[in-house]
Amino acid sequence: QVQLVESGGELVQAGGSLRLSCAASGRTIGSVAMGWFRQAPGKERELVAAISWSGTSTYYAGSVKGRFTISRHNAKNTMYLQMNSLRPEDTAVYYCAARKFSAWSIYTNAYDYWGQGTQVTVSS
């Protein structure tokens, strides 16, 4: 079983930047697509960004497109989410997820592995 651990969540001021990391346990996680989800208080979990195994195909939610960048370094078994121009509405628990396919999916239930989440709080 793959274990994922998120890190990098912090309290940041609006307009600031933050970089989240997701590290997979073990030396390899195989050909898995990965994604970042977030869940704000009182709201459903939503897909923020996703990336294919190769890194050549990505997805971004409309609310973050142009501000967030997803990337991965497979040799390090690590995925990143660079978040710029943060807004208070970006405040949420951010989750790392992976699925046992090389292609990403927009569906939450398509992902097989999940991290514990990391809190991102954007103050105004």
Side-chain angles (χ1 to χ4, degrees):
Q1 181 172 294
V2 175
Q3 291 183 308
L4 306 173
V5 180
E6 306 94 335
S7 63
E10 297 177 0
L11 171 64
V12 64
Q13 293 183 341
S17 297
L18 206 58
R19 187 196 195 200
L20 304 184
S21 298
C22 173
S25 63
R27 295 202 300 157
T28 181
I29 57 174
S31 300
V32 293
M34 302 183 75
W36 286 99
F37 290 77
R38 69 184 181 187
Q39 188 166 23
K43 296 185 178 181
E44 295 294 311
R45 188 172 299 187
E46 64 174 349
L47 178 64
V48 176
I51 187 167
S52 64
W53 163 249
S54 66
T56 59
S57 178
T58 58
Y59 166 88
Y60 294 97
S63 59
V64 307
K65 193 171 185 178
R67 299 189 297 120
F68 291 9
T69 302
I70 189 170
S71 62
R72 64 190 298 167
H73 196 304
N74 290 347
K76 296 180 180 180
N77 290 337
T78 305
M79 176 179 66
Y80 308 95
L81 184 67
Q82 178 65 47
M83 304 184 292
N84 298 325
S85 301
L86 284 163
R87 305 166 180 169
E89 52 263 43
D90 293 318
T91 295
V93 176
Y94 283 71
Y95 297 90
C96 171
R99 67 190 298 257
K100 295 181 288 187
F101 276 97
S102 60
W104 50 261
S105 172
I106 63 171
Y107 302 108
T108 302
N109 61 11
Y111 291 80
D112 303 291
Y113 310 105
W114 293 84
Q116 82 291 343
T118 185
Q119 178 70 49
V120 172
T121 302
V122 184
S123 63
S124 180

